[in-house]
Amino acid sequence: MTRSRLLRQREVDPRIAESLARRGVHPVLCRILASRGLRDAAELDTAIAGLAAPESLADGRRAAALLADAIAAGERICVVADYDCDGATACAVAVRGLRRFGATVDYLVPNRFVHGYGLGPAVVELASRHPRLGRPDWLLTVDNGIASIEGVEAAHRAGMKVIVTDHHLPGPTLPAAAAIVNPNRRDCAFPSKHLAGVGVVFYLLGMLRSQLGATAGRARVELVDLLDLVAVGTVADVVRLDPNNRRLVAAGLRRIRAGLACPGLAALLQVAGIEPARASVRDIGFGIAPRINAAGRLAEISTGIECLLADDPAHAARLAAELDAINRERRRIEQDMRAQALADIGAPDAGAPALVICRDDWHEGVVGLVAGRLKDLHWRPAIALAPARGEPGMLRGSGRSVPGLHLRDALETVANRHPGMIERYGGHAMAAGLSLAAANLAGFTSALHEAIIELADEHAFDEILLHDGPLAPAEIDFGLLDAIDAGIWGQGFPAPLFVNRFRVDRQRVVGDGHLKLSLRLGERGFDAIAFGRSAFVGEQARLAYRLERNDWQGRQALQLVVEDIDDGDAPI
């Protein structure tokens, strides 16, 4: 296996660009949008009224009818959530929404280190003696459950019924739940297969409202104020921002920017130093999501859920401060583990199609972040593992992949060819988790390499940096930045990235090893920063960059954030 880095300009459909220009779209934005798969200028519309209708969600109406009957009968409902940001927001949306419909509802979240992922038999046992509900009549999973065959059976033996809401890819056998709402079911015709877990449960609440309105004649329950949480969970789970997800995120951001975020989210914005009026997808991904996720990585995600459920601003502020402190500790642990991983890996074998690394002293809640760092640095799938707390002789790991290699499929291939080698696994194309016996680590590594060589696309290991071409000096201004900031950018709909060759007037290292640059393009000067780079560049450099607003002591300035540097002679 060889690795190469390719810089490639996106192809632009001139017909779409012209159509956008006729609608008055910023000229630079016309070519950006036309290169991202837009078929029609109407797709720029992010009005919530254009959301895909819920009727085609398999089992959606059935799940709504079951919940409506449970509420009418006064039956107790326990929401069983995942321990990441998508799971936390999905849990908060489910609990807030169901309470508005009059449900007796509470929640339970597995402990990552004790129970592992999903609705397992041990979680069912916990639910059966819930401290506030007692034994629930119903378990409603959010962001998990599609693989919980044993857990659903255990719930039935304990006298509890189960509704599964999930978005993860199903296996060959579905659990015997009363209803399973998952857009990735093979028999589901819902047009957006990329809903996050929080999006699925939001849709279910909408169908429940229709069901109750049809059967009980009660006043309409509003759900629009839950969209701030839907936006956060959707962005945090890095699902593809297809047109439907962009509508959900845009609606949530509009509420956040209008100062209408729920108290917990408002408090998290404050501790993260994010001004609500200018909150962006990037702010959610790098400012809000890590603080919620940190609780699930180091302790229990219930702190994050309680923050999102809080109605009292003072209580929300205390919980947000606690989450912020946990996140600082998470960053410290991650930095140490990352340094150890890089030292252990060194210069990896150029022929190895994946990196698998394990240390006895690592924190299992942070291994996914380490895997992500290794994947980015060496551009090949990476899996980091640590001893499983409470399971002697077992390892728990998390992996990250590159485009062109479906990581969950690779794990499934290993599991099918070597029964018993992997204890548990699951996930997506780009991220997956697994458990295995420490004694199987060497065999697993070899089997994974074989599976990846077989499954990876031809160019999976070519690191391709797609960009939107150069900007003229006069085009780099706040007008373009405002036009970009008004868009919804993320996974599958990436934010604009430009490439120009600049003259470097001055450069210095600032902070914890960041390169600060003073640049010149034509007759205009620009400030730029390359985070995480301390090596100086030559007098001229080709830079791939994005535009950012830099606020410093009350003064706004335009800044270029450098994503890639080439100070050689290669053409743009």
Side-chain angles (χ1 to χ4, degrees), residues 171-473:
T173 303
L174 297 178
I180 300 175
V181 187
N182 183 335
N184 286 301
R185 280 179 54 165
R186 292 174 177 84
D187 60 345
C188 184
F190 189 72
S192 172
K193 301 298 182 183
H194 305 289
L195 283 177
V198 68
V200 176
V201 77
F202 180 75
Y203 262 91
L204 177 56
L205 289 175
M207 286 184 280
L208 175 60
R209 180 173 63 187
S210 297
Q211 178 73 26
L212 289 173
T215 59
R218 65 177 66 199
R220 181 178 176 87
V221 171
E222 288 300 329
L223 301 173
V224 68
D225 62 322
L226 300 176
L227 283 165
D228 55 350
L229 298 176
V230 176
V232 169
T234 300
V235 171
D237 218 43
V238 203
V239 293
R240 178 177 291 274
L241 293 188
D242 62 13
N244 202 64
N245 276 338
R246 291 204 300 275
R247 289 181 187 274
L248 289 172
V249 173
L253 276 176
R254 284 193 290 268
R255 294 195 61 82
I256 293 170
R257 290 167 176 170
L260 299 174
C262 68
L265 187 50
L268 286 168
L269 289 164
Q270 184 170 8
V271 298
I274 299 168
E275 183 180 340
R278 292 213 303 269
S280 67
V281 170
R282 187 174 181 84
D283 289 327
I284 292 174
F286 290 92
I288 302 303
R291 287 170 167 81
I292 298 173
N293 275 327
R297 292 188 183 281
L298 299 191
E300 292 188 3
I301 196 66
S302 55
T303 304
I305 295 172
E306 286 298 317
C307 182
L308 300 178
L309 288 174
D311 290 321
D312 174 52
H315 181 50
R318 289 192 294 271
L319 291 170
E322 185 176 341
L323 291 171
D324 187 54
I326 295 172
N327 189 53
R328 288 196 299 271
E329 175 65 8
R330 185 273 307 167
R331 285 162 55 185
R332 184 194 65 77
I333 294 171
E334 180 193 352
Q335 288 172 356
D336 290 345
M337 288 173 56
R338 188 170 61 193
Q340 292 167 349
L342 293 175
D344 288 353
I345 288 290
D349 178 1
L355 302 174
V356 179
I357 187 168
C358 177
R359 284 180 63 112
D360 291 340
D361 57 347
W362 275 358
H363 195 297
E364 65 179 278
V366 187
V367 288
L369 301 175
V370 173
R373 173 60 175 162
L374 292 175
K375 181 267 296 183
D376 290 341
L377 185 63
H378 297 290
W379 201 250
R380 67 191 79 178
I383 293 178
L385 303 107
R389 190 181 303 181
E391 292 186 82
M394 294 295 295
L395 302 174
R396 287 202 188 117
S398 187
R400 300 294 183 268
S401 191
V402 295
L405 187 280
H406 195 299
L407 187 55
R408 182 194 172 278
D409 285 359
L411 294 177
E412 185 174 47
T413 299
V414 173
N416 290 338
R417 291 177 177 173
H418 305 275
M421 177 174 281
I422 303 176
E423 184 78 15
R424 295 182 297 274
Y425 69 93
H428 304 288
M430 302 298 288
L434 73 158
S435 298
L436 74 158
N440 289 337
L441 181 58
F444 164 75
T445 301
S446 177
L448 180 67
H449 285 181
E450 291 178 3
I452 288 175
I453 290 171
E454 178 180 326
L455 297 175
D457 292 349
E458 180 182 358
H459 296 292
F461 303 107
D462 294 336
E463 186 174 4
I464 300 173
L465 187 64
L466 294 174
H467 65 85
D468 296 289
L471 291 174

Side-chain angles (χ1 to χ4, degrees), residues 489-532:
W489 313 96
Q491 180 70 17
F493 202 76
L497 184 72
F498 306 103
V499 172
N500 283 89
R501 182 172 293 281
F502 293 89
R503 192 179 78 201
V504 180
D505 288 343
R506 293 185 301 279
Q507 52 187 314
R508 59 192 175 94
V509 176
V510 299
D512 297 326
H514 312 303
L515 187 62
K516 187 76 172 175
L517 300 158
S518 295
L519 306 172
R520 188 157 297 277
L521 183 64
E523 299 302 315
R524 292 190 62 192
F526 300 95
D527 291 329
I529 188 163
F531 291 107

